[in-house]
């Protein structure tokens, strides 16, 4: 389920690093740099320095992608433009940053790429609701609940959107379903009482 799991490469890369270091040690012994002129040592140090600086620079550049959740997911979308989860996560980050128009675009793309993704429908519904497009939001919440009947957050937000449209009876039905699903959550009972 992870778009990028670079941390999983640390241990396997250790084997390659050990192999390369061993090969370099063997090469140094065979060439016999000991006791030679300093230019021979420089000939060995320069390629090693180039590799170290190149790898350090690549690490620094890659770490720039991790500065916040939006940049890392934007990088994932650039590299995997047909990945619905990446678009949904980028849309979520953009929504949290207050960029609703771009968030809407990425959530719509997530749903287009994978119409069976409950998170995509839920987050698209939430962006639409934040844009005061409640009727469209309700349709997305309904789809999220259809795909995942235990989506209590979708039921709750759907009820709130229905309340905004003054569809009190429909809101009460959504909250009743929520209280049956999560009887221990006070927010559902409170929202149900408001609707009633």
């Amino acid at each position: 389920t992870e778009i990028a799991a670079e941390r999983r490469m640390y241990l396997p890369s250790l084997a390659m690093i050990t192999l390369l270091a061993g090969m370099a040690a063997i090469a140094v012994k065979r060439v016999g740099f000991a006791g030679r002129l300093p230019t021979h040592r420089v000939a060995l140090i320069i390629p090693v320095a180039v590799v170290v600086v190149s790898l350090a620079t690549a690490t620094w550049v890659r770490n720039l992608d991790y500065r916040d959740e939006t940049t890392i997911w934007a990088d994932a979308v650039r590299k995997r433009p047909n990945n619905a989860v990446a678009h949904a996560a980028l849309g979520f980050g953009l929504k949290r940053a207050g960029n609703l128009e771009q968030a809407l675009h990425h959530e719509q793309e997530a749903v287009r790429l994978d119409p069976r993704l409950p998170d995509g429908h839920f987050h698209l519904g939430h962006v639409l609701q934040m844009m005061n497009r409640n009727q469209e939001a309700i349709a997305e919440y309904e789809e999220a609940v259809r795909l995942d009947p235990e989506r209590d957050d979708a039921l709750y937000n759907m009820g709130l959107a229905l309340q905004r449209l003054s569809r009190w009876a429909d809101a009460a039905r959504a909250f009743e379903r929520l209280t049956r699903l999560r009887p221990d959550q006070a927010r559902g009972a409170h929202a149900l009482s408001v609707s009633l």
Side-chain angles (χ1 to χ4, degrees), residues 139-176:
E140 295 303 327
Y141 291 139
E142 286 172 343
E143 185 62 13
V145 171
R146 187 188 71 75
L147 292 167
D148 181 2
E150 304 245 332
R151 256 338 263 253
D152 59 327
D153 51 358
L155 282 169
Y156 182 74
N157 284 5
M158 179 172 31
L160 294 179
L162 288 161
Q163 283 179 339
R164 283 185 180 173
L165 296 174
S166 299
R167 292 173 52 188
W168 300 103
D170 292 333
R173 280 191 287 281
F175 292 129
E176 283 171 354

